[in-house]
Amino acid sequence: MERTEVHDALSDFRRATVVGAGVIGISWTGLFLARGLTVTVTDPRPDVEDAVRAGLDELRPALDALGLPTEGLTDHLRFEADLATAVADADVVQENGPERVEVKRELWATIERAAPDHALFATSTSGIPASEIATALRRPERLVVGHPFNPPHLVPLVEIVPGERTAEETVERARAFYTALGKKPQVLRKEIPGFVANRLQSALFRECVHLVAEGVVTEAELDEIVTSSIGLRWAVAGPFRTFHLGGGPGGLPHFLSHLGSRMEHGWRGLGTPSFDEPTLARLTEQAREAFGARGVAELAAERDRAQIALMRALAEARANEARADA
Amino acid sequence: MERTEVHDALSDFRRATVVGAGVIGISWTGLFLARGLTVTVTDPRPDVEDAVRAGLDELRPALDALGLPTEGLTDHLRFEADLATAVADADVVQENGPERVEVKRELWATIERAAPDHALFATSTSGIPASEIATALRRPERLVVGHPFNPPHLVPLVEIVPGERTAEETVERARAFYTALGKKPQVLRKEIPGFVANRLQSALFRECVHLVAEGVVTEAELDEIVTSSIGLRWAVAGPFRTFHLGGGPGGLPHFLSHLGSRMEHGWRGLGTPSFDEPTLARLTEQAREAFGARGVAELAAERDRAQIALMRALAEARANEARADA
């Protein structure tokens, strides 16, 4: 970890305020602290300090495994129940409040009144467009969506989604901030419900539910199919590149012109399930069979260890290719 | 590589006949040879021998990287243009002919007449149910779909899809065969068009096409989003496990009861694109921009190197967990 280099890129963002200390807020807090920021957490719940400290203890092994420094992790952690006070000296505000537009509007109106003029404003919302929240702001150009893929301390993606009135400067500052944190920010060109990653996840999951509801496979079998085929592929190359490489020398254009109409025909046969009672009962029962023998936290920790091993292997493979090209 | 152990498990399948030497057939051939089988390739094309030898040269680096022995790889490779002669002493026949049901029926009728009674019959078809092909057989219980995810020498998944009349014994022999080859076979419980992996891939790709057609992201941006979020996740844990671990202590049942209706609502807003002229033009242009600077074979080789690094890291992570549990 080149601590100095990271600190240089983060020098405009020394003090972060994390608004809302649920799972996402705690994960951001851990990452910000490990990257050397001073973090103020604000949340009205009375047990916020205990919850955050316990949460940080849980994600410490992952931060360690990612190669981030965790000694004295909480030395620069502060708590402040009053929102206005909490953001008064912030360089960046990352908001993780409830997913209700009225609540977010109220939070951001308060934040705007109290925060310094230079502070970057980002909301972790997974579904509410910045345009709708920013109606509560005097300067809507300051707010942008910075939607992490859960959990933010681990998964690289952050979707940056500008609202109609978000300034280009805000977008670029958000991109610089997340990049300096070691994330892989991606700026979307249009606001769309669910943004990109969750829409894709949801599209695939709809067909998963259909196949289990129809009795073609169980949940456990479907998971095995994904991890031994498309999951492996998409960790290395996205869907377009995958089809490009599967199309022979003519690549994706050849693939589309030869197989596009067959694929489009197949789309019509995909499932349109609903979470009715029998489907929910089946999904719930199979989940208990497949995953019930061990606790969620234990399974998640195991998954995260494998995730980090995979990310390291990919980073090394990319570095090898870069060296070979040089 | 425990060569002896592998040979033991493969002792019922010493002689394989590969019918049809396209990309899939050549990949199976390479894997079978590297696993110590004697392989007869049969294909009516006049340049079959050159094509197969050139193809094997291309996939040799991947076989090496997978830790498979490739010295003298083609010592036990034979060619036989006549289909009946080619299968006369086969222990297993893997058919990779054209995806047309009449062609496959004709191939399999010939194979059944000429092959030994004990030979395992598997078709690589990606879409034609075994039930429809097996109408041409006197003993339809012998035929099963063994559909690899391309390329079979690299990607672990093989979907085993029994037809209505496929014998349980055939299914179990196919499972034993692919397992002994080092693959991860998965037996489907029902025949369904496209089987499972391709249906899931197609469901996700439909939304990819929609998002690019709508101008939300480019192909290159979408690929980055996938490889830095859901792709990473699904290489380690399938969609059901991922949602189970994302639902807090209550796991998937809690997730579904709290967010199921919101997700179902979101499904209605997913895209239903078609490959009309403007969409095809955009997809083609962006593919050229994103991938056009380098050849498909070079990009594919690079992808495969990263793929193998990832598979090794995952295998190691799983071995570590197993050791920790022991």
Side-chain angles (χ1 to χ4, degrees):
Chain A
M1 198 46 40
E2 300 80 45
R3 220 181 146 109
T4 319
E5 201 177 295
V6 168
H7 279 201
D8 286 350
L10 280 170
S11 59
D12 289 344
F13 306 99
R14 302 298 310 133
R15 284 176 302 277
T17 299
V18 171
V19 179
V23 175
I24 302 288
I26 292 173
S27 173
W28 275 130
T29 299
L31 179 67
F32 292 170
L33 289 169
R35 288 293 188 185
L37 277 62
T38 294
V39 181
T40 302
V41 172
T42 182
D43 189 304
R45 62 194 275 200
D47 66 337
V48 54
E49 189 157 347
D50 287 348
V52 171
R53 290 190 190 277
L56 291 176
D57 280 342
E58 261 180 48
L59 53 86
R60 194 185 297 260
L63 295 172
D64 281 331
L66 286 165
L68 293 170
T70 59
E71 218 185 284
L73 187 68
T74 55
D75 289 355
H76 301 278
L77 171 64
R78 303 181 312 185
F79 294 89
E80 172 52 60
D82 180 67
L83 177 59
T85 310
V87 301
D89 69 350
D91 299 317
V92 52
V93 179
Q94 183 81 40
E95 171 267 314
N96 321 277
E99 289 287 273
R100 297 202 301 277
V101 67
E102 325 81 62
V103 178
K104 287 201 188 286
R105 280 183 187 142
E106 203 181 310
L107 289 172
W108 279 107
T110 304
I111 295 166
E112 186 186 40
R113 277 194 302 272
D117 280 346
H118 72 273
L120 174 66
F121 289 173
T123 170
S124 298
T125 179
S126 63
I128 307 175
S131 300
E132 288 186 26
I133 302 170
T135 56
L137 297 186
R138 279 170 296 162
R139 292 180 51 205
E141 64 270 24
R142 293 185 69 182
L143 181 70
V144 72
V145 169
H147 171 240
F149 200 84
N150 191 27
H153 70 276
L154 182 56
V155 177
L157 177 67
V158 181
E159 289 174 292
I160 297 176
V161 195
E164 285 158 24
R165 300 180 60 186
T166 307
E168 183 58 29
E169 192 209 341
T170 304
V171 172
E172 289 314 316
R173 289 187 72 214
R175 197 204 296 264
F177 174 59
Y178 295 122
T179 303
L181 287 170
K183 311 311 294 174
K184 293 218 174 179
Q186 199 60 243
V187 181
L188 308 198
R189 293 157 189 265
K190 272 189 191 174
E191 285 184 315
I192 187 167
F195 313 139
V196 170
N198 278 343
R199 289 180 72 95
L200 296 178
Q201 178 165 246
S202 181
L204 184 121
F205 195 64
R206 174 160 63 168
E207 187 62 17
C208 295
V209 171
H210 173 68
L211 292 167
V212 170
E214 290 293 310
V216 177
V217 278
T218 65
E219 290 178 15
E221 289 163 353
L222 186 138
D223 275 1
E224 288 282 342
I225 286 174
V226 169
T227 55
S228 63
S229 62
I230 46 183
L232 282 182
R233 283 321 220 181
W234 291 334
V236 173
F240 286 107
R241 182 179 287 254
T242 295
F243 279 127
H244 184 72
L245 301 184
L252 188 71
H254 176 87
F255 173 84
L256 292 174
S257 63
H258 280 68
L259 296 175
S261 65
R262 191 195 290 185
M263 177 174 268
E264 192 174 328
H265 181 79
W267 287 343
R268 280 175 238 145
L270 293 177
T272 53
S274 69
F275 289 118
D276 52 24
E277 278 311 311
T279 301
L280 275 180
R282 178 182 282 238
L283 292 172
T284 298
E285 190 195 328
Q286 289 194 7
R288 295 209 165 110
E289 272 168 31
F291 315 119
R294 293 164 69 197
V296 166
E298 187 189 339
L299 289 172
E302 183 176 316
R303 186 260 317 259
D304 288 352
R305 286 191 290 272
Q307 188 76 82
I308 290 165
L310 179 159
M311 288 163 65
R312 283 187 167 168
L314 283 177
E316 204 174 307
R318 282 182 195 127
N320 284 342
E321 297 294 343
R323 267 197 295 279
D325 288 347
Chain B
M1 198 45 43
E2 299 79 44
R3 221 181 147 109
T4 319
E5 200 178 296
V6 167
H7 279 200
D8 285 350
L10 281 169
S11 60
D12 289 344
F13 306 100
R14 303 299 310 132
R15 285 175 301 275
T17 298
V18 171
V19 179
V23 173
I24 301 289
I26 291 173
S27 173
W28 275 131
T29 299
L31 178 67
F32 293 169
L33 290 169
R35 287 293 186 184
L37 276 63
T38 294
V39 181
T40 302
V41 173
T42 181
D43 189 305
R45 62 194 277 201
D47 67 336
V48 55
E49 189 158 346
D50 288 348
V52 170
R53 289 188 189 279
L56 291 175
D57 282 341
E58 262 180 48
L59 53 86
R60 191 184 299 259
L63 294 172
D64 282 332
L66 286 165
L68 294 170
T70 59
E71 217 185 284
L73 187 68
T74 55
D75 289 356
H76 302 277
L77 172 65
R78 305 180 311 184
F79 294 89
E80 172 52 59
D82 180 68
L83 177 58
T85 310
V87 300
D89 68 350
D91 300 317
V92 52
V93 178
Q94 182 80 40
E95 171 268 315
N96 321 276
E99 288 288 272
R100 297 202 302 279
V101 67
E102 325 81 62
V103 177
K104 289 203 187 284
R105 281 183 187 145
E106 204 181 310
L107 288 173
W108 279 107
T110 303
I111 295 166
E112 186 185 41
R113 277 194 301 272
D117 280 344
H118 73 274
L120 173 67
F121 289 173
T123 170
S124 297
T125 180
S126 62
I128 307 174
S131 301
E132 289 187 26
I133 302 169
T135 57
L137 297 187
R138 278 172 296 162
R139 292 181 51 205
E141 65 270 25
R142 295 186 67 183
L143 181 69
V144 73
V145 169
H147 171 239
F149 200 84
N150 191 27
H153 69 276
L154 183 55
V155 178
L157 177 67
V158 181
E159 288 172 295
I160 297 177
V161 194
E164 285 157 25
R165 300 180 59 185
T166 307
E168 185 57 29
E169 192 211 340
T170 304
V171 171
E172 290 313 317
R173 289 188 72 213
R175 197 203 296 263
F177 175 58
Y178 295 123
T179 302
L181 288 169
K183 310 310 293 176
K184 293 218 176 180
Q186 198 60 242
V187 180
L188 307 198
R189 292 158 191 265
K190 272 189 190 174
E191 287 185 312
I192 187 169
F195 312 139
V196 170
N198 278 343
R199 287 180 74 94
L200 297 178
Q201 176 164 247
S202 182
L204 185 121
F205 195 64
R206 174 160 64 168
E207 187 61 19
C208 295
V209 170
H210 173 67
L211 292 167
V212 169
E214 291 293 309
V216 177
V217 278
T218 64
E219 290 178 14
E221 289 163 353
L222 186 139
D223 275 0
E224 289 282 343
I225 286 174
V226 169
T227 55
S228 62
S229 62
I230 45 182
L232 282 183
R233 282 321 220 179
W234 292 334
V236 173
F240 286 106
R241 182 178 287 254
T242 296
F243 279 127
H244 184 72
L245 301 184
L252 188 72
H254 177 87
F255 174 85
L256 291 175
S257 63
H258 281 68
L259 296 174
S261 65
R262 191 195 289 183
M263 177 173 267
E264 191 174 328
H265 181 79
W267 287 342
R268 282 175 236 145
L270 294 176
T272 53
S274 68
F275 289 119
D276 52 24
E277 277 312 311
T279 301
L280 274 180
R282 178 183 282 239
L283 292 171
T284 299
E285 191 195 327
Q286 289 193 8
R288 293 206 167 110
E289 272 169 29
F291 315 118
R294 294 164 67 198
V296 166
E298 187 189 339
L299 289 172
E302 183 176 315
R303 186 260 318 256
D304 288 352
R305 285 192 291 272
Q307 188 77 82
I308 290 165
L310 179 158
M311 289 163 63
R312 282 187 168 170
L314 283 177
E316 204 173 308
R318 281 181 197 128
N320 284 342
E321 297 293 343
R323 264 196 297 279
D325 289 347

